[in-house]
Amino acid sequence: VLVGPGDDAAAVRPTRRPLLLTTDSLIESVHFRHGWTSPADLGRRAFAVNASDIAAMGGAPRYALVALEIPGRAPVAEIDALVAGFSTAARRSGARLIGGNLARGPHLAITVTLIGEAPGRVVTRSGARPGDHLFVTGALGATGLAVRRLAAGRRGRLPALPNRVSQGILLARLAHAMIDVSDGLAQDLGHVCRASSVAAEIELARLPVATACRRALGERAEVFAATAGEDYELLVAIPPHQLPALARLRLGCRLTEIGRVARGRPAVRLLDRAGLPVRVPRGGFDHFARA
Ligand SMILES: [Mg+2]
């Protein structure tokens, strides 16, 4: 970093590696409601959702810009805590907050621009091929369940989001395609299918459903975990010849095979224990869907 926060613009020294650039917003009353998280957690979360997109391309976050919209009533200590939470999360991932902007607005809104670097191959959504094995990191459904409970007025906190940056870099060496699970596994796999012009099948019985989700929803937990979203785990398509190399990776987190990529028109099929397709009411989170 040649010029950090406080000047008209930040300046960084260019590197020879590909840069990855992404932006995302967290908006009060859209993505969260007042009181769902502490300001520091919200800062960490704002970093994590953007870092997840960089991880899904096989990169590591390096530089962050934050634009904050703040209601006039917000205490300064809360804003400080939010920014501190963001900076700490960034630093732990090897990134630096290098600038930003503050404006008064009707809601709290945090817009992050994150710049990352890809140490190796950049992995997109468009490389999946029929016969690829589908894997997902971590577990699914815990945050979706917490959001549903909080939205229903119950007490609780949003679970911390996973950091899959190191896993994304390792998986990028072997993957045909990769995406992070933000809108729901089925919906995000649908994005991969459309970008790659392939179909995909998920065996619901194989999904790594979070314990809390399994306990709360019983038989319905698998479909919920496949559609709820907010998991920020990595979904990856691995060609068969890379499976031995995959088994040798030291990922440091759970990795579960959940299905296959198939020939056909872009579509995602969720299969029950008998191998029959399950109809799902709704594909995942859509900002512009009618309630
Ligand atoms: Mg994404």
Side-chain angles (χ1 to χ4, degrees), residues 53 125 180 182:
D53 279 328
R125 302 174 177 188
D180 64 317
S182 53

Side-chain angles (χ1 to χ4, degrees), residues 163-195:
N163 180 332
R164 297 297 180 224
V165 168
S166 62
Q167 288 84 2
I169 291 169
L170 290 172
L171 290 168
R173 297 182 192 160
L174 313 176
H176 269 169
M178 189 152 59
I179 191 169
D180 64 317
V181 181
S182 53
D183 299 338
L185 179 77
Q187 183 155 320
D188 289 313
L189 180 54
H191 297 320
V192 171
C193 287
R194 276 187 294 281

Side-chain angles (χ1 to χ4, degrees), residues 17 98 114 142 147 172 211 261 274:
R17 291 170 168 172
I98 57 169
L114 192 59
V147 167
T211 311
V261 177

Side-chain angles (χ1 to χ4, degrees), residues 43-60:
R44 283 190 276 273
R45 201 172 178 79
F47 177 79
V49 300
N50 283 275
S52 178
D53 279 328
I54 298 287
M57 304 291 288

Side-chain angles (χ1 to χ4, degrees), residues 14-201:
T15 67
R16 302 179 68 176
R17 291 170 168 172
L19 291 179
L20 303 166
L21 301 97
T22 184
T23 187
D24 203 354
S25 299
L26 283 184
I27 302 167
E28 191 178 76
S29 306
V30 176
H31 298 99
F32 63 94
R33 294 189 202 158
H34 191 78
W36 279 16
T37 58
S38 69
D41 275 343
L42 200 56
R44 283 190 276 273
R45 201 172 178 79
F47 177 79
V49 300
N50 283 275
S52 178
D53 279 328
I54 298 287
M57 304 291 288
R62 284 288 174 263
Y63 311 114
L65 299 164
V66 179
L68 281 178
E69 219 175 273
I70 299 162
R73 61 179 154 73
V76 173
E78 286 192 6
I79 304 310
D80 286 346
L82 192 158
V83 174
F86 184 96
S87 311
T88 307
R91 225 173 313 124
R92 284 198 186 127
S93 275
R96 278 179 61 183
L97 178 59
I98 57 169
N101 188 52
L102 269 179
R104 186 211 283 256
H107 295 289
L108 181 59
I110 312 155
T111 299
V112 175
T113 300
L114 192 59
I115 300 165
E117 261 177 30
R121 262 179 77 229
V122 173
V123 183
T124 66
R125 302 174 177 188
S126 62
R129 297 289 169 263
D132 285 353
H133 295 237
L134 293 168
F135 291 83
V136 69
T137 58
L140 305 171
T143 304
L145 181 71
V147 167
R148 198 165 84 156
R149 286 176 164 169
L150 287 162
R154 291 172 61 181
R155 289 177 144 276
R157 276 281 162 97
L158 290 174
L161 297 183
N163 180 332
R164 297 297 180 224
V165 168
S166 62
Q167 288 84 2
I169 291 169
L170 290 172
L171 290 168
R173 297 182 192 160
L174 313 176
H176 269 169
M178 189 152 59
I179 191 169
D180 64 317
V181 181
S182 53
D183 299 338
L185 179 77
Q187 183 155 320
D188 289 313
L189 180 54
H191 297 320
V192 171
C193 287
R194 276 187 294 281
S196 301
S197 299
V198 292
E201 288 183 342

